[in-house]
Amino acid sequence: MRLVLTITARNLRLFFRDRAGVVFSLMGALIVFLLYALFLSDLQVRSIAASFPDADASDVRAFVDTWMFAGIIAMTSITTSLGALAVFVEDVASGRFRDFMVSPIRRWQLVLGYLLATVVVALVMTTVVLGASIAYLFLIDGVTIGVFPLALTMFWIVLSCVAFAALWAFVVSFLRSTAAFSALATVVGTIIGFLAGAFIAIGLFPAGVRDIVNALPFAQSAMLMRQQFTEESLRALVGDQPEAIAPLSEFYGITAVVGGAVVPVPLVVALLLAYALAFTALAAWRIRSRLE
């Protein structure tokens, strides 16, 4: 196990040493934040204020911001787990794999070192973004996230980071060049905001697209974060109209609805666990086959 930790530490050093790579792994989340800070936030606030004319302006703003930051946190767990695998692709492209094959390192130790480093990078980066989001909500909106919702959010972050690290490790195992990896990271960073329902509310998609997006793990992971972040702000927004909670939750991706049926939280947890186990096994098999 000591050798696995040594390989993990080596991969972590290589990732965090590349400051440009660290920043680009957060590019999707930064784009969402800038879009909302500069353009989209006021549009959302005006739209909701028109639907709830009796709602206090601060409650409307608090709901929009908690919803936005929950999406950003979910996006960070997705994009940073992909960005961390740049070390693996660089090792493949540079031929360092051949050096590993003549070293006393066993293949399973090498595979585990890559996967552990990927999960650690995603956890560290997403936790930093979580802290920044909580600070922004408190300082700008006066919103605080309770201890239990925060603890549950951390659990969802761990689950999402493990699941997406496994998924991307399997996908990246097919790549052979840093150019191909950069292209993949660019595509994912561009479209993940839509797939997670972070750029625009999922309710604005056509019905068929909405079902597809809600069936994917990206929107489901964002759903878990949003349920904790918007619990209080949504209740304050609707005030004496609790019947509005369900349609608003569906429209903003706080609940996922596929084919008219609500996807329950236990099913989302089971699916993310299944992704984590299945893609970890597949990624390990693929990386081991690359070493032979």
Side-chain angles (χ1 to χ4, degrees):
M1 196 63 193
R2 181 179 298 176
L3 193 51
V4 172
L5 295 177
T6 301
I7 297 170
T8 302
R10 173 254 183 196
N11 293 338
L12 290 174
R13 280 197 304 274
L14 289 176
F15 175 78
F16 285 108
R17 187 182 298 169
D18 182 5
R19 295 178 181 176
V22 172
V23 171
F24 276 110
S25 70
L26 291 170
M27 193 55 69
L30 290 173
I31 289 174
V32 172
F33 176 75
L34 291 175
L35 282 175
Y36 270 89
L38 298 175
F39 310 108
L40 300 179
S41 179
D42 288 340
L43 289 176
Q44 291 281 3
V45 168
R46 284 199 295 270
S47 173
I48 295 174
S51 301
F52 295 89
D54 295 332
D56 190 271
S58 61
D59 291 335
V60 177
R61 174 68 65 179
F63 171 73
V64 171
D65 285 350
T66 51
W67 173 80
M68 172 193 67
F69 277 111
I72 288 177
I73 293 167
M75 283 184 61
T76 305
S77 70
I78 298 167
T79 58
T80 55
S81 56
L82 175 60
L85 287 161
V87 176
F88 167 77
V89 177
E90 177 64 28
D91 285 344
V92 172
S94 64
R96 292 194 190 99
F97 264 20
R98 289 192 293 272
D99 298 334
F100 292 138
M101 291 179 67
V102 297
S103 70
I105 302 174
R106 296 182 179 179
R107 287 174 173 78
W108 70 266
Q109 292 172 321
L110 192 59
V111 172
L112 197 56
Y114 282 119
L115 293 177
L116 274 179
T118 302
V119 172
V120 170
V121 166
L123 278 175
V124 169
M125 301 292 284
T126 309
T127 302
V128 169
V129 171
L130 171 66
S133 302
I134 291 173
Y136 181 99
L137 290 172
F138 177 72
L139 295 174
I140 304 301
D141 298 317
V143 172
T144 56
I145 307 297
V147 174
F148 181 73
L150 186 58
L152 205 50
T153 300
M154 276 305 304
F155 181 74
W156 299 147
I157 287 174
V158 172
L159 181 60
S160 296
C161 289
V162 173
F164 292 122
L167 170 64
W168 295 131
F170 173 67
V171 173
V172 166
S173 68
F174 290 93
L175 304 182
R176 295 182 178 278
S177 70
T178 54
F181 177 79
S182 298
L184 173 67
T186 301
V187 170
V188 170
T190 303
I191 66 172
I192 204 64
F194 293 101
L195 297 180
F199 283 157
I200 59 174
I202 290 176
L204 293 174
F205 294 147
V209 176
R210 194 160 58 232
D211 283 348
I212 293 173
V213 169
N214 278 331
L216 296 175
F218 314 110
Q220 293 173 356
S221 171
M223 178 198 84
L224 296 176
M225 314 293 180
R226 291 188 185 115
Q227 288 188 355
Q228 304 310 312
F229 263 55
T230 64
E231 183 179 4
E232 294 298 327
S233 61
L234 178 58
R235 196 174 299 152
L237 172 68
V238 300
D240 58 355
Q241 304 177 63
E243 68 279 4
I245 289 180
L248 269 178
S249 297
E250 181 178 350
F251 186 84
Y252 282 97
I254 301 169
T255 56
V257 177
V258 178
V262 174
V263 182
V265 170
L267 178 58
V268 173
V269 174
L271 288 173
L272 288 176
L273 285 172
Y275 294 141
L277 293 173
F279 284 110
T280 295
L282 288 171
W285 168 70
R286 279 287 307 164
I287 296 174
R288 284 171 63 93
S289 68
R290 298 285 296 269
L291 291 168
E292 294 174 354

